[in-house]
Amino acid sequence: MSQSPRSAVDKALDLVEAVARADRPARLADLAREVDLHRATAYRILLDLVRRGWVLRVGDTYLPGTAALQVSAAALRHSLAALARPVLEGLARETGMMVNLQVLEADRARVVDVVRPERLAMISHLRDEALPVHRFAGPLALVAALPAEARAPYLRPAEAAGHPLDGDEGLLADIARVERTGVALERGRNEKPVASLSRAVRTGDGSPVCALTLVGLDAEFDGAALEGLTGRLLAAAAELEHVLTGRAGPATAAGSGRPDGGAA
């Protein structure tokens, strides 16, 4: 007895499961072959899966998306967080700082993984929390990496909270500063004695995939110490870009990598 034709749902689930099973970021040709679909068909379905958050596209490869991570423990083994974990641990060892990984959602950025040294146990790790752009460095780095026309959803929570958009102290000035320097620096805006420094990790076409963020005591983000932290953060972001895309670009490609002060 012949098998019934696969439905559109069957094909989509086959692709989601194939992405989750892959032991490295999977390419379109490999996925199409594994689930026995024409490449063009697999590509059209993957577009919808990316749009719905079930699959994350990084350059020309695919990883489990945030929706898949919420419902599948198996997908977590080969997720963005799993691939980034060695980079987070290395950066935490080098700097002595807490390091987190964030990804954009509808109007905020969510913390998906954290490495927190024992000495900073008094600082909340914020794992699994969704953070607004006007209070945290990670969302600010990610939003600044978006095209201007894609930023509106992330500005709305700031407006609703009464945070200014315009002027020298406004959110748009903060975003412009991050575009110029390549890093987001936040000092005491969310928690007075705490500072953070963040860099967006991008795909080959410049789209932000995630952000690496250093978090520590404000006094440790001054002068030469800040320059040293910035250099290590840029190097770690470049390393993660290489892990995700197989291409390593200049660490300062999106700016000088020198924060110019002020609360960002």
Side-chain angles (χ1 to χ4, degrees):
M1 182 175 176
S2 61
Q3 283 187 324
S4 300
R6 283 185 293 174
S7 69
V9 172
D10 287 329
K11 295 173 184 177
L13 290 175
D14 285 345
L15 282 167
V16 169
E17 291 168 359
V19 171
R21 285 194 303 267
D23 60 1
R24 61 180 60 85
R27 298 181 182 277
L28 172 61
D30 297 329
L31 292 170
R33 182 167 54 251
E34 181 173 347
V35 301
D36 195 23
L37 287 175
H38 191 279
R39 284 183 56 163
T41 302
Y43 179 72
R44 288 195 299 271
I45 296 171
L46 284 166
L47 285 178
D48 285 335
L49 292 172
V50 169
R51 178 176 57 83
R52 293 291 301 269
W54 285 94
V55 171
L56 174 67
R57 183 173 182 178
V58 181
D60 58 356
T61 64
Y62 298 86
L63 294 168
T66 55
L69 297 181
Q70 291 171 5
V71 299
S72 173
L76 185 59
R77 292 197 303 273
H78 307 299
S79 68
L80 173 64
L83 291 169
R85 183 73 182 190
V87 177
L88 270 66
E89 292 175 344
L91 186 56
R93 282 195 305 270
E94 290 176 3
T95 63
M97 297 291 176
M98 179 159 60
V99 183
N100 70 47
L101 181 74
Q102 299 180 34
V103 296
L104 284 175
E105 293 191 343
D107 61 358
R108 289 170 171 79
R110 187 171 297 276
V111 179
V112 296
D113 199 12
V114 182
V115 175
R116 181 176 62 180
E118 185 62 32
R119 76 179 189 92
L120 297 176
M122 79 294 290
I123 300 178
S124 174
H125 56 65
L126 300 178
R127 188 193 302 271
D128 297 326
E129 294 198 26
L131 312 180
V133 67
H134 62 290
R135 291 177 57 196
F136 295 89
L140 183 57
L142 286 165
V143 171
L146 291 173
E149 61 272 16
R151 294 171 181 164
Y154 304 96
L155 305 183
R156 292 186 191 115
E159 290 183 286
H163 188 85
L165 296 186
D166 300 312
D168 292 342
E169 300 300 317
L171 183 54
L172 295 179
D174 289 343
I175 290 172
R177 186 179 298 114
V178 178
E179 285 187 288
R180 184 170 66 252
T181 65
V183 292
L185 175 64
E186 186 279 318
R187 306 190 72 167
R189 182 168 289 174
N190 181 62
E191 191 174 344
K192 287 300 180 186
V194 176
S196 54
L197 184 71
S198 188
R199 167 77 169 185
V201 176
R202 301 167 181 256
T203 63
D205 65 1
S207 302
V209 177
C210 57
L212 284 177
T213 305
L214 291 169
V215 183
L217 300 176
D218 183 76
E220 298 177 304
F221 285 73
D222 280 321
L226 178 58
E227 290 193 11
L229 291 174
T230 301
R232 289 182 174 88
L233 176 63
L234 293 174
E239 179 184 356
L240 184 51
E241 287 175 1
H242 178 71
V243 169
L244 296 177
T245 68
R247 295 182 293 272
T252 57
S256 67
R258 295 177 58 87
D260 57 357

PDB file of all heavy atoms in Angstrom, residues 143-163:
ATOM      1  N   VAL A 143      19.094  46.811  18.292  1.00  0.00           N
ATOM      2  CA  VAL A 143      18.224  47.731  17.554  1.00  0.00           C
ATOM      3  C   VAL A 143      19.051  48.673  16.683  1.00  0.00           C
ATOM      4  O   VAL A 143      18.662  49.000  15.560  1.00  0.00           O
ATOM      5  CB  VAL A 143      17.319  48.507  18.524  1.00  0.00           C
ATOM      6  CG1 VAL A 143      16.557  49.622  17.798  1.00  0.00           C
ATOM      7  CG2 VAL A 143      16.323  47.551  19.185  1.00  0.00           C
ATOM      8  N   ALA A 144      20.205  49.101  17.180  1.00  0.00           N
ATOM      9  CA  ALA A 144      21.072  49.966  16.382  1.00  0.00           C
ATOM     10  C   ALA A 144      21.596  49.256  15.139  1.00  0.00           C
ATOM     11  O   ALA A 144      21.951  49.911  14.150  1.00  0.00           O
ATOM     12  CB  ALA A 144      22.239  50.466  17.228  1.00  0.00           C
ATOM     13  N   ALA A 145      21.638  47.926  15.169  1.00  0.00           N
ATOM     14  CA  ALA A 145      22.102  47.156  14.016  1.00  0.00           C
ATOM     15  C   ALA A 145      21.004  46.914  12.987  1.00  0.00           C
ATOM     16  O   ALA A 145      21.289  46.418  11.893  1.00  0.00           O
ATOM     17  CB  ALA A 145      22.673  45.816  14.488  1.00  0.00           C
ATOM     18  N   LEU A 146      19.751  47.244  13.330  1.00  0.00           N
ATOM     19  CA  LEU A 146      18.641  47.089  12.394  1.00  0.00           C
ATOM     20  C   LEU A 146      18.571  48.273  11.429  1.00  0.00           C
ATOM     21  O   LEU A 146      19.002  49.384  11.766  1.00  0.00           O
ATOM     22  CB  LEU A 146      17.316  47.020  13.165  1.00  0.00           C
ATOM     23  CG  LEU A 146      17.046  45.794  14.027  1.00  0.00           C
ATOM     24  CD1 LEU A 146      15.771  46.016  14.840  1.00  0.00           C
ATOM     25  CD2 LEU A 146      16.933  44.540  13.173  1.00  0.00           C
ATOM     26  N   PRO A 147      17.992  48.088  10.252  1.00  0.00           N
ATOM     27  CA  PRO A 147      17.691  49.237   9.401  1.00  0.00           C
ATOM     28  C   PRO A 147      16.737  50.182  10.131  1.00  0.00           C
ATOM     29  O   PRO A 147      15.909  49.746  10.945  1.00  0.00           O
ATOM     30  CB  PRO A 147      17.006  48.614   8.179  1.00  0.00           C
ATOM     31  CG  PRO A 147      17.363  47.164   8.221  1.00  0.00           C
ATOM     32  CD  PRO A 147      17.564  46.802   9.652  1.00  0.00           C
ATOM     33  N   ALA A 148      16.832  51.460   9.857  1.00  0.00           N
ATOM     34  CA  ALA A 148      16.021  52.454  10.563  1.00  0.00           C
ATOM     35  C   ALA A 148      14.530  52.149  10.469  1.00  0.00           C
ATOM     36  O   ALA A 148      13.788  52.330  11.446  1.00  0.00           O
ATOM     37  CB  ALA A 148      16.317  53.852  10.004  1.00  0.00           C
ATOM     38  N   GLU A 149      14.091  51.616   9.323  1.00  0.00           N
ATOM     39  CA  GLU A 149      12.658  51.372   9.131  1.00  0.00           C
ATOM     40  C   GLU A 149      12.157  50.174   9.947  1.00  0.00           C
ATOM     41  O   GLU A 149      10.945  49.988  10.092  1.00  0.00           O
ATOM     42  CB  GLU A 149      12.344  51.153   7.650  1.00  0.00           C
ATOM     43  CG  GLU A 149      13.026  49.959   7.003  1.00  0.00           C
ATOM     44  CD  GLU A 149      14.405  50.278   6.445  1.00  0.00           C
ATOM     45  OE1 GLU A 149      14.972  51.323   6.801  1.00  0.00           O
ATOM     46  OE2 GLU A 149      14.906  49.454   5.655  1.00  0.00           O
ATOM     47  N   ALA A 150      13.067  49.373  10.493  1.00  0.00           N
ATOM     48  CA  ALA A 150      12.664  48.199  11.274  1.00  0.00           C
ATOM     49  C   ALA A 150      12.679  48.450  12.776  1.00  0.00           C
ATOM     50  O   ALA A 150      12.367  47.553  13.563  1.00  0.00           O
ATOM     51  CB  ALA A 150      13.580  47.024  10.946  1.00  0.00           C
ATOM     52  N   ARG A 151      12.991  49.664  13.204  1.00  0.00           N
ATOM     53  CA  ARG A 151      13.191  49.932  14.630  1.00  0.00           C
ATOM     54  C   ARG A 151      11.917  50.318  15.373  1.00  0.00           C
ATOM     55  O   ARG A 151      11.886  50.266  16.608  1.00  0.00           O
ATOM     56  CB  ARG A 151      14.223  51.053  14.802  1.00  0.00           C
ATOM     57  CG  ARG A 151      15.608  50.670  14.332  1.00  0.00           C
ATOM     58  CD  ARG A 151      16.543  51.873  14.322  1.00  0.00           C
ATOM     59  NE  ARG A 151      17.868  51.515  13.848  1.00  0.00           N
ATOM     60  CZ  ARG A 151      18.787  52.404  13.454  1.00  0.00           C
ATOM     61  NH1 ARG A 151      18.495  53.713  13.483  1.00  0.00           N
ATOM     62  NH2 ARG A 151      19.970  51.996  13.042  1.00  0.00           N
ATOM     63  N   ALA A 152      10.882  50.707  14.668  1.00  0.00           N
ATOM     64  CA  ALA A 152       9.699  51.269  15.323  1.00  0.00           C
ATOM     65  C   ALA A 152       9.129  50.405  16.444  1.00  0.00           C
ATOM     66  O   ALA A 152       8.810  50.926  17.526  1.00  0.00           O
ATOM     67  CB  ALA A 152       8.617  51.565  14.274  1.00  0.00           C
ATOM     68  N   PRO A 153       8.967  49.074  16.277  1.00  0.00           N
ATOM     69  CA  PRO A 153       8.383  48.281  17.367  1.00  0.00           C
ATOM     70  C   PRO A 153       9.182  48.352  18.660  1.00  0.00           C
ATOM     71  O   PRO A 153       8.621  48.243  19.753  1.00  0.00           O
ATOM     72  CB  PRO A 153       8.386  46.853  16.797  1.00  0.00           C
ATOM     73  CG  PRO A 153       8.434  47.024  15.324  1.00  0.00           C
ATOM     74  CD  PRO A 153       9.254  48.256  15.091  1.00  0.00           C
ATOM     75  N   TYR A 154      10.481  48.561  18.557  1.00  0.00           N
ATOM     76  CA  TYR A 154      11.347  48.582  19.738  1.00  0.00           C
ATOM     77  C   TYR A 154      11.364  49.952  20.418  1.00  0.00           C
ATOM     78  O   TYR A 154      11.733  50.059  21.591  1.00  0.00           O
ATOM     79  CB  TYR A 154      12.766  48.151  19.339  1.00  0.00           C
ATOM     80  CG  TYR A 154      12.759  46.798  18.671  1.00  0.00           C
ATOM     81  CD1 TYR A 154      12.736  46.692  17.277  1.00  0.00           C
ATOM     82  CD2 TYR A 154      12.708  45.634  19.426  1.00  0.00           C
ATOM     83  CE1 TYR A 154      12.677  45.450  16.661  1.00  0.00           C
ATOM     84  CE2 TYR A 154      12.660  44.386  18.820  1.00  0.00           C
ATOM     85  CZ  TYR A 154      12.638  44.306  17.440  1.00  0.00           C
ATOM     86  OH  TYR A 154      12.571  43.075  16.829  1.00  0.00           O
ATOM     87  N   LEU A 155      10.961  50.971  19.672  1.00  0.00           N
ATOM     88  CA  LEU A 155      10.881  52.312  20.249  1.00  0.00           C
ATOM     89  C   LEU A 155       9.598  52.509  21.053  1.00  0.00           C
ATOM     90  O   LEU A 155       9.557  53.336  21.976  1.00  0.00           O
ATOM     91  CB  LEU A 155      10.957  53.370  19.145  1.00  0.00           C
ATOM     92  CG  LEU A 155      12.170  53.315  18.208  1.00  0.00           C
ATOM     93  CD1 LEU A 155      12.119  54.488  17.235  1.00  0.00           C
ATOM     94  CD2 LEU A 155      13.474  53.326  18.980  1.00  0.00           C
ATOM     95  N   ARG A 156       8.555  51.761  20.711  1.00  0.00           N
ATOM     96  CA  ARG A 156       7.243  51.976  21.351  1.00  0.00           C
ATOM     97  C   ARG A 156       7.266  51.746  22.859  1.00  0.00           C
ATOM     98  O   ARG A 156       6.656  52.525  23.606  1.00  0.00           O
ATOM     99  CB  ARG A 156       6.184  51.099  20.685  1.00  0.00           C
ATOM    100  CG  ARG A 156       5.887  51.524  19.244  1.00  0.00           C
ATOM    101  CD  ARG A 156       4.734  50.753  18.637  1.00  0.00           C
ATOM    102  NE  ARG A 156       4.665  50.992  17.204  1.00  0.00           N
ATOM    103  CZ  ARG A 156       4.856  50.075  16.279  1.00  0.00           C
ATOM    104  NH1 ARG A 156       5.088  48.819  16.639  1.00  0.00           N
ATOM    105  NH2 ARG A 156       4.782  50.373  15.002  1.00  0.00           N
ATOM    106  N   PRO A 157       7.927  50.702  23.391  1.00  0.00           N
ATOM    107  CA  PRO A 157       7.970  50.550  24.850  1.00  0.00           C
ATOM    108  C   PRO A 157       8.630  51.736  25.541  1.00  0.00           C
ATOM    109  O   PRO A 157       8.239  52.112  26.649  1.00  0.00           O
ATOM    110  CB  PRO A 157       8.773  49.263  25.056  1.00  0.00           C
ATOM    111  CG  PRO A 157       8.551  48.483  23.801  1.00  0.00           C
ATOM    112  CD  PRO A 157       8.500  49.519  22.711  1.00  0.00           C
ATOM    113  N   ALA A 158       9.617  52.337  24.892  1.00  0.00           N
ATOM    114  CA  ALA A 158      10.264  53.520  25.467  1.00  0.00           C
ATOM    115  C   ALA A 158       9.279  54.692  25.518  1.00  0.00           C
ATOM    116  O   ALA A 158       9.185  55.392  26.536  1.00  0.00           O
ATOM    117  CB  ALA A 158      11.494  53.896  24.645  1.00  0.00           C
ATOM    118  N   GLU A 159       8.557  54.889  24.431  1.00  0.00           N
ATOM    119  CA  GLU A 159       7.551  55.953  24.411  1.00  0.00           C
ATOM    120  C   GLU A 159       6.490  55.720  25.473  1.00  0.00           C
ATOM    121  O   GLU A 159       6.087  56.644  26.193  1.00  0.00           O
ATOM    122  CB  GLU A 159       6.902  56.030  23.028  1.00  0.00           C
ATOM    123  CG  GLU A 159       7.812  56.542  21.933  1.00  0.00           C
ATOM    124  CD  GLU A 159       7.082  56.660  20.610  1.00  0.00           C
ATOM    125  OE1 GLU A 159       6.803  55.619  19.983  1.00  0.00           O
ATOM    126  OE2 GLU A 159       6.778  57.807  20.199  1.00  0.00           O
ATOM    127  N   ALA A 160       6.030  54.480  25.598  1.00  0.00           N
ATOM    128  CA  ALA A 160       4.990  54.156  26.580  1.00  0.00           C
ATOM    129  C   ALA A 160       5.470  54.395  28.006  1.00  0.00           C
ATOM    130  O   ALA A 160       4.687  54.747  28.893  1.00  0.00           O
ATOM    131  CB  ALA A 160       4.551  52.701  26.418  1.00  0.00           C
ATOM    132  N   ALA A 161       6.780  54.231  28.229  1.00  0.00           N
ATOM    133  CA  ALA A 161       7.350  54.441  29.561  1.00  0.00           C
ATOM    134  C   ALA A 161       7.712  55.904  29.814  1.00  0.00           C
ATOM    135  O   ALA A 161       8.182  56.247  30.902  1.00  0.00           O
ATOM    136  CB  ALA A 161       8.583  53.575  29.741  1.00  0.00           C
ATOM    137  N   GLY A 162       7.484  56.766  28.814  1.00  0.00           N
ATOM    138  CA  GLY A 162       7.804  58.181  28.972  1.00  0.00           C
ATOM    139  C   GLY A 162       9.263  58.512  28.733  1.00  0.00           C
ATOM    140  O   GLY A 162       9.711  59.621  29.061  1.00  0.00           O
ATOM    141  N   HIS A 163      10.013  57.597  28.154  1.00  0.00           N
ATOM    142  CA  HIS A 163      11.424  57.863  27.876  1.00  0.00           C
ATOM    143  C   HIS A 163      11.526  58.704  26.607  1.00  0.00           C
ATOM    144  O   HIS A 163      10.899  58.389  25.594  1.00  0.00           O
ATOM    145  CB  HIS A 163      12.185  56.555  27.689  1.00  0.00           C
ATOM    146  CG  HIS A 163      13.664  56.738  27.583  1.00  0.00           C
ATOM    147  ND1 HIS A 163      14.486  56.812  28.688  1.00  0.00           N
ATOM    148  CD2 HIS A 163      14.475  56.881  26.506  1.00  0.00           C
ATOM    149  CE1 HIS A 163      15.730  56.969  28.292  1.00  0.00           C
ATOM    150  NE2 HIS A 163      15.752  57.024  26.963  1.00  0.00           N
TER     151      HIS A 163
END
